Amino acid sequence: MRLSLSRLTPLLTLIIFSISGCALLDAAGDASGNDAQTGMLDAGADGATSTDAVPSTDAEVTPDASGNGPAFVTRWKNADDTPASRFTVALPLVENGIYDFSVDWGDGNTAQITQWDSEDTKHTYVAEISEATITIRETIHGWAFKEGGISVKNLREIKAWGPLQLGETTHQFENAANLRITATDTPDLSATTSLVGMFMNAESLDRNAAMQAWDVSHITSMRGMFDGAISFNQPLGEWDIRRVKSMEDMFKGVTLSEDVYDQILTGWAEFAEPRESGVIFSGGNSTVGSQEATTARAKLLTDYCWTISDATSYPSRVCLN
């Protein structure tokens, strides 16, 4: 069949138009795609929308996983000045205590202690070492030099209380004549009711600001707590002494400065009731300095029937019962 040119012209025009239209659409698509891709790349370069600019949670800093925990840190020094003498530290653990702790003796030796009477609770240093810092971590419940001990005078400093719990003991640091406390934390006294003779004859113990923050709310007896601690001069007026029944000889032989003694009496007189009455308290050789403290002392005598012995020339007892 033969077609005339006049009939083919419209058909050819339609085909050419269709081909041109597809080419234009493809070109437009390529252009828009390239522009979009370029825009994403540009945004990524600016750091605004790129996924690399979003912080990854995997990169967050994780807590220290060493597991070391707090430490009971003490410093010991040979009390024997004899050249080449060796000194021994014997940890004053108690029979009813609970123990599962690691001890670093400070000379490269360590031990794990689970029994109060283990041979590992004693350590003798070589002659070349006259001073050492001992670090204890984990469970140590029960500590008392009550029976004395070969090393009590070697204890020079408590740097941190850490996990130490005194337990139901007394005379915890008795006769530690060279002891000073520099710890900024406080001991855990939650399982302790008695501080009887705690620092008896600790002649070098003077001030430790953190002691003001001790939680003594469970304590019922402070008898002889600082008896013979002749250098002691620390304000304790913030102590919650409402459960304390006995304070005999608490500061026996001690002369607190007037400002310290005033702070103690004033603070203790202001604690809210209920509180123990009829407490016998010894302020040692201390005297009241201010009128405010004089009033506080009188309040303890009259309102709570305390008996107070100190160097103040005022009545020591008012109640007759």
Side-chain angles (χ1 to χ4, degrees), residues 3-33:
L3 296 174
S4 66
L5 182 59
S6 60
R7 291 184 177 183
L8 286 175
T9 299
L11 180 61
L12 291 173
T13 302
L14 178 61
I15 293 172
I16 293 170
F17 179 81
S18 298
I19 293 173
S20 299
C22 290
L24 288 171
L25 288 173
D26 289 341
D30 289 342
S32 62

Side-chain angles (χ1 to χ4, degrees), residues 86-133:
R86 304 175 70 183
F87 80 103
T88 297
V89 170
L91 301 177
L93 308 186
V94 296
E95 186 173 0
N96 62 346
I98 301 174
Y99 307 106
D100 188 2
F101 63 85
S102 63
V103 54
D104 183 336
W105 296 105
D107 62 351
N109 292 293
T110 61
Q112 187 72 27
I113 296 175
T114 58
Q115 299 292 329
W116 74 279
D117 56 352
S118 168
E119 284 298 319
D120 289 333
T121 62
K122 300 182 180 71
H123 186 70
T124 300
Y125 293 85
V126 298
E128 290 76 15
I129 297 178
S130 62
E131 183 174 344
T133 295

